[in-house]
């Protein structure tokens, strides 16, 4: 019996804002970068745009106890 395909998640670091300093950065665990941007865009104010600035390792996401679909400010 074949097993169910496993969905893979990545923890993206998404910055919110246009300035390079003092912008909030969120760790978002999703399957695609577009989902991560959409999740942070909901918190955006007028003039702010989310941008992916990096990612976290699986080990770090596990230590943070970050669940799939969850977003946390770091």
């Amino acid at each position: 019996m074949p097993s169910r395909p496993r969905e893979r998640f990545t923890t993206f670091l998404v910055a919110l804002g246009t300035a390079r300093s003092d912008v909030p950065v969120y760790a978002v665990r999703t399957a695609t970068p577009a989902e991560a941007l959409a999740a942070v865009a909901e918190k955006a104010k007028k003039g702010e745009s989310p941008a992916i600035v990096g990612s976290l390792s699986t080990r770090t996401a596990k230590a943070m106890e970050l669940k799939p679909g969850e977003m946390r400010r770091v």
Side-chain angles (χ1 to χ4, degrees):
M1 177 181 244
S3 65
R4 171 174 67 99
R6 194 175 108 193
E7 189 172 6
R8 300 210 179 251
F9 293 96
T10 304
T11 305
F12 297 98
L13 292 175
V14 182
L16 186 59
T18 55
R20 293 251 179 207
S21 61
D22 296 332
V23 296
V25 177
Y26 295 92
V28 186
R29 187 164 179 171
T30 59
T32 65
E35 291 174 359
L37 290 172
V40 176
E42 294 174 1
K43 291 191 172 270
K45 297 176 186 169
K46 187 175 182 177
E48 294 180 328
S49 60
I52 294 179
V53 293
S55 63
L56 293 179
S57 69
T58 304
R59 181 175 282 184
T60 304
K62 186 175 181 180
M64 290 175 60
E65 297 179 359
L66 201 60
K67 305 291 184 220
E70 187 178 353
M71 175 175 58
R72 189 176 306 162
R73 188 171 175 174
V74 292

